Amino acid sequence: MQERLPELNKKLDAVRTSIAEVIVGQQALIDKLLNALLCNGHVLLEGVPGVAKTMMVNSMANALDASFNRLQFTPDLLPGDVVGTQIYRDGTFETERGPIFANLVLADEINRAPAKVQSALLEAMQEHQVTLGQQTHKLPEPFMVLATQNPIEQEGTYALPEAQVDRFIFKLIVDYPTMDEEHIILRRMAKTAPKVSVTQAASLEDILELRRHLDAIHVDEKIERYILRLVAATRDPSAYGLDELKGYIRFGASPRASIYLALAARGHALLRGGEFVVPDDVKAVLHDVVRHRIAISYRAEAEGLNSDAILERIVETVPVTE
């Protein structure tokens, strides 16, 4: 297994290079998307329109030769438009598979669809399968949902159910590019037919093989205890000397946060070429894993605090070792 790892890491570097043929900057974000894919997780992307969220996902699919479908979520969307349906034809029911049957599925502006459509994704995200009628259909592997939401416009949107938000391994914030990066984007894209395709650099089999390497990365019990303390501090900050946060958190992160923190830390270690997890791996993924799993109070919002600021205070205070 270890003999293949250098070759697979070279392919990951080639994937990064391939995506960079179209996407300028955002290297850290690309690594986080690759980490989520290696961890068999799903991603919630939040950013203003025009920051290349769709193009980034499409480029990653092309670089891996993965099937890709884009779903534009709207208020009139039906569950069958996502997962598919059964059609009665010539005396029998035939299954019409929906766009969810792809390796990478982009759910664009997911918060514009009503709850019944959002909940149609739950089984697919958790079980990697879809039930149509009395038949269960397995989704292709690897399978990953990347959902986007616009943080600016709230009119005509529906808040995601907590059960669904908790199933995303990461919530990633897509920010504006720097001026120098935007200058490069301008030169590349201000054309009638800009380059939007990338070169295939790896295969889905490579991703599945890397997942087996990820499971073999060692997580020491001291690291596991550190992860548990970080998550526990979001539920009972006073127990860790964070009395000032008690009025800012309505409820803390679920046990799924601990699971995903350990998994994502393994992924971060793999992407940097490590064989075991260190505290910096945990800190590197903490915000992305936990920011959407804690609910802040109205008092925190009134004082201009968000979950990232609270997590930063927790990281500063909770000790790495007991």
Side-chain angles (χ1 to χ4, degrees), residues 131-151:
T131 301
L132 299 174
Q134 296 182 345
Q135 296 181 347
T136 298
H137 303 269
K138 288 291 184 182
L139 294 168
E141 290 293 345
F143 170 72
M144 184 180 183
V145 173
L146 300 106
T148 72
Q149 58 182 15
N150 182 348

Side-chain angles (χ1 to χ4, degrees), residues 50-260:
V51 289
K53 298 186 294 293
T54 302
M55 186 178 293
M56 193 178 306
V57 178
N58 194 13
S59 298
M60 188 169 75
N62 290 335
L64 296 171
D65 194 26
S67 57
F68 169 74
N69 280 331
R70 178 180 179 271
L71 273 165
Q72 183 65 49
F73 277 50
T74 57
D76 60 347
L77 200 69
L78 298 174
D81 298 328
V82 177
V83 299
T85 188
Q86 287 190 317
I87 298 176
Y88 188 74
R89 185 179 294 146
D90 297 330
T92 60
F93 283 97
E94 296 181 4
T95 300
E96 291 284 346
R97 296 189 173 192
I100 196 72
F101 287 87
N103 296 120
L104 299 183
V105 177
L106 180 67
D108 212 3
E109 294 193 279
I110 189 173
N111 55 335
R112 291 203 174 276
K116 63 181 180 180
V117 177
Q118 295 172 5
S119 63
L121 286 174
L122 284 178
E123 181 187 13
M125 292 173 64
Q126 186 67 26
E127 308 296 337
H128 287 211
Q129 66 182 31
V130 167
T131 301
L132 299 174
Q134 296 182 345
Q135 296 181 347
T136 298
H137 303 269
K138 288 291 184 182
L139 294 168
E141 290 293 345
F143 170 72
M144 184 180 183
V145 173
L146 300 106
T148 72
Q149 58 182 15
N150 182 348
I152 300 175
E153 296 178 290
Q154 299 302 320
E155 185 177 350
T157 63
Y158 303 82
L160 296 179
E162 294 299 332
Q164 185 171 6
V165 171
D166 201 36
R167 280 169 170 77
F168 289 101
I169 187 171
F170 292 153
K171 179 181 178 181
L172 303 180
I173 308 301
V174 187
D175 208 350
Y176 290 109
T178 65
M179 185 174 292
D180 289 339
E181 290 171 346
E182 194 164 353
H183 192 188
I184 298 172
I185 294 169
L186 184 151
R187 287 185 168 179
R188 284 189 184 180
M189 306 304 291
K191 300 175 182 177
T192 55
K195 175 181 170 61
V196 293
S197 61
V198 303
T199 307
Q200 180 189 347
S203 67
L204 297 179
E205 288 73 22
D206 294 328
I207 296 298
L208 296 176
E209 187 175 353
L210 278 163
R211 284 181 178 178
R212 294 192 288 273
H213 285 278
L214 185 145
D215 289 335
I217 288 178
H218 178 66
V219 182
D220 191 82
E221 185 178 350
K222 292 179 180 178
I223 297 293
E224 292 174 341
R225 290 288 181 183
Y226 178 50
I227 289 171
L228 293 172
R229 287 195 298 275
L230 288 170
V231 175
T234 69
R235 304 169 189 162
D236 186 11
S238 299
Y240 296 88
L242 292 162
D243 294 319
E244 72 272 18
L245 297 184
K246 191 172 182 181
Y248 294 144
I249 302 174
R250 288 192 289 120
F251 61 84
S254 73
R256 194 177 271 123
S258 303
I259 297 169
Y260 281 158

